[in-house]
Amino acid sequence: MAKTDWTIQDSVLPKDMNQIGQEINDLGLSATVWLGTTEGSNTAYTVTSSKVSSLFEGLRVSFRAHIASGTNPTLQINSLGAVPLKKPNGRVAKLDADGVYTLVYDGTAFILQGEGGEYGSATAADVLAPKTIGTDNGIVTGTIPTQGNQFKSGLWSNPDGDAYVDTYVNIDGGYYPPGTQVTIQAYDPNLVSNNIRAGAKVLGVDGAPNVIDTYDDYNPATSADIVKHKRAFVNGQFVSGDIENYKGFGLTAQLEPKPGAYVGAKPHHSGLMDQTTEFTIGMPNKLPENIRKGVDIGGTVGTLVEGTPWATGTAPVSSGHLSFWVSDTQSRDMNYIQVSGLSFQPSVIVAKQGINTTIFKRGWNLTEYKYDILTLAVFTNPIGSFAGMPVQNRSPVSITNGSFLIPIHGIYSGTLEWWAFA
């Protein structure tokens, strides 16, 4: 440290002069050299100054930038070489046009003095308006608005299919101070009483009395259970009926046989009926001849006399002959009578003309599909008979259910009376 208490009597020694000179040199090194205004481009500033002959650590310079800096700017003093311009944090310095800056050379770069703190990543969109924030680009005014109370509306949705629903509304961006109220009104056009079951309440809306639960998993009705031209609501769907409505109509029915003394009446049509519906029951066999004599069945009085069926009538003797077999080897040409329209198959036939009577009986040799017609009795005219001689079915003899054709021996014309018994 140089002496500072000199008096008139003190002698100045050489060492004292050296000390003073050294301090003068040190003072020069710590002084800031004014370089004036730069020239060159925005990325390569240049300046000429007689005050700087070399670059050394600690060299302090000041200058005015003639234009704003571009990318990675440098400064060259005289011809000492281009030196990068940096901030204290090592980032690239940014200069404005006509800005005056002081820099210190650290051996590799000129370090900008008076700034260079960390700025972070905030931008204007991250800062409340009208607040400002320092950035690499200088002071920036925030753009986040401060919001007040809000009222928003939207539609309900239920994307998950559960008991929870979501409402989607547009919330204005900005800052909501504590105590701010945002009212959200959810809207769904289907949230009405007629869409809610009676007795239930959904978000304050009561169900309509006419909306009831129609689901029946056990035994739901079908169209076959509902009257035609009527509809029912079954498990959430309308079902149209198929049952015909015959209330008060006259219907026809047909009897069906049943065990015992009863019969069942089956209507010709099925459907809905009541006590006024009238049935007409068809009984095609309810005829007098099918009902025992004197018995009244449904207003029909019978005329049937029970016993073996029989019939009688007359038949002309044929004018021609047929060859009837009277034995296994012999046949005869004989006249015959033929009768049809019987309601049974005769077993015994009696034919008579005057006092001549012939009785024929159906034989039993069925396995050979033939009938033996035998004269059992002949009265008063043995010449006109063929006593005991069989006439077999392989001849034209025919006794069927409803008709017969039999030979008449010895009677050649006229009409015969006949009786046929089952």
Side-chain angles (χ1 to χ4, degrees):
M1 176 66 67
K3 181 177 174 61
T4 59
D5 58 348
W6 295 93
T7 66
I8 191 73
Q9 292 84 14
D10 290 336
S11 298
V12 178
L13 299 177
K15 65 176 182 178
D16 295 324
M17 294 303 294
N18 291 336
Q19 179 69 37
I20 293 172
Q22 182 64 46
E23 292 184 3
I24 291 173
N25 290 335
D26 292 341
L27 181 61
L29 290 176
S30 63
T32 301
V33 179
W34 173 252
L35 300 177
T37 302
T38 61
E39 296 178 348
S41 68
N42 64 351
T43 58
Y45 293 99
T46 62
V47 66
T48 302
S49 174
S50 61
K51 299 176 181 179
V52 178
S53 60
S54 63
L55 300 178
F56 54 87
E57 288 188 32
L59 175 63
R60 295 172 65 87
V61 296
S62 294
F63 62 83
R64 184 190 305 276
H66 70 291
I67 58 176
S69 62
T71 304
N72 299 319
T74 62
L75 174 65
Q76 178 170 277
I77 302 173
N78 300 324
S79 59
L80 299 177
V83 178
L85 302 180
K86 300 287 187 180
K87 292 182 179 181
N89 59 10
R91 295 179 181 176
V92 175
K94 185 173 183 179
L95 309 182
D96 292 326
D98 296 324
V100 177
Y101 300 96
T102 298
L103 302 95
V104 176
Y105 183 64
D106 67 354
T108 58
F110 280 111
I111 306 303
L112 186 64
Q113 303 297 293
E115 63 176 280
E118 296 295 334
Y119 291 115
S121 60
T123 65
D126 303 313
V127 180
L128 287 176
K131 304 297 182 180
T132 60
I133 184 175
T135 69
D136 285 341
N137 297 318
I139 300 299
V140 174
T141 301
T143 59
I144 298 177
T146 299
Q147 303 287 8
N149 293 337
Q150 299 285 320
F151 177 85
K152 301 294 180 181
S153 63
L155 293 177
W156 286 116
S157 66
N158 190 359
D160 300 324
D162 52 24
Y164 298 94
V165 292
D166 302 322
T167 181
Y168 298 94
V169 297
N170 293 322
I171 301 297
D172 295 336
Y175 170 66
Y176 293 84
T180 301
Q181 293 183 350
V182 178
T183 302
I184 299 175
Q185 182 185 55
Y187 172 71
D188 192 327
N190 293 319
L191 185 61
V192 294
S193 293
N194 284 338
N195 292 336
I196 302 174
R197 182 167 53 85
K201 179 179 288 189
V202 177
L203 296 176
V205 180
D206 291 316
N210 60 316
V211 180
I212 60 174
D213 189 355
T214 65
Y215 188 78
D216 180 8
D217 191 36
Y218 175 69
N219 189 22
T222 65
S223 58
D225 304 314
I226 303 170
V227 176
K228 203 168 187 177
H229 306 305
K230 297 292 183 180
R231 293 196 307 173
F233 200 69
V234 180
N235 291 353
Q237 300 293 329
F238 275 117
V239 178
S240 298
D242 290 335
I243 299 177
E244 294 288 352
N245 187 355
Y246 294 113
K247 284 187 175 182
F249 284 75
L251 301 176
T252 59
Q254 185 173 357
L255 290 176
E256 290 184 340
K258 299 291 181 181
Y262 299 93
V263 293
K266 180 181 180 181
H268 287 183
H269 303 284
S270 61
L272 182 66
M273 306 173 191
D274 57 15
Q275 293 181 348
T276 64
T277 302
E278 297 180 355
F279 283 94
T280 301
I281 300 176
M283 301 176 66
N285 293 321
K286 194 184 74 168
L287 301 173
E289 57 268 29
N290 294 335
I291 303 173
R292 184 183 300 172
K293 186 174 182 179
V295 176
D296 187 335
I297 296 180
T300 301
V301 179
T303 60
L304 174 65
V305 177
E306 291 183 283
T308 301
W310 64 280
T312 185
T314 61
V317 177
S318 65
S319 59
H321 302 87
L322 290 176
S323 179
F324 292 90
W325 289 87
V326 295
S327 69
D328 289 338
T329 59
Q330 183 180 6
S331 64
R332 291 184 182 178
D333 292 336
M334 290 181 283
N335 296 81
Y336 58 92
I337 62 172
Q338 185 173 6
V339 174
S340 62
L342 302 178
S343 60
F344 56 90
Q345 180 169 318
S347 294
V348 176
I349 302 169
V350 177
K352 177 178 180 296
Q353 185 185 62
I355 60 174
N356 297 323
T357 301
T358 304
I359 300 174
F360 299 90
K361 182 178 181 181
R362 183 162 53 91
W364 304 106
N365 193 0
L366 300 178
T367 57
E368 297 180 10
Y369 297 95
K370 64 181 182 178
Y371 297 94
D372 294 335
I373 306 303
L374 178 64
T375 302
L376 299 180
V378 179
F379 301 94
T380 69
N381 190 0
I383 298 175
S385 68
F386 43 98
M389 187 174 296
V391 181
Q392 299 179 8
N393 191 45
R394 58 181 175 161
S395 68
V397 172
S398 173
I399 300 177
T400 65
N401 184 17
S403 66
F404 63 83
L405 186 153
I406 59 174
I408 301 297
H409 183 66
I411 302 176
Y412 307 109
S413 63
T415 301
L416 275 73
E417 295 181 86
W418 58 265
W419 292 262
F421 302 91

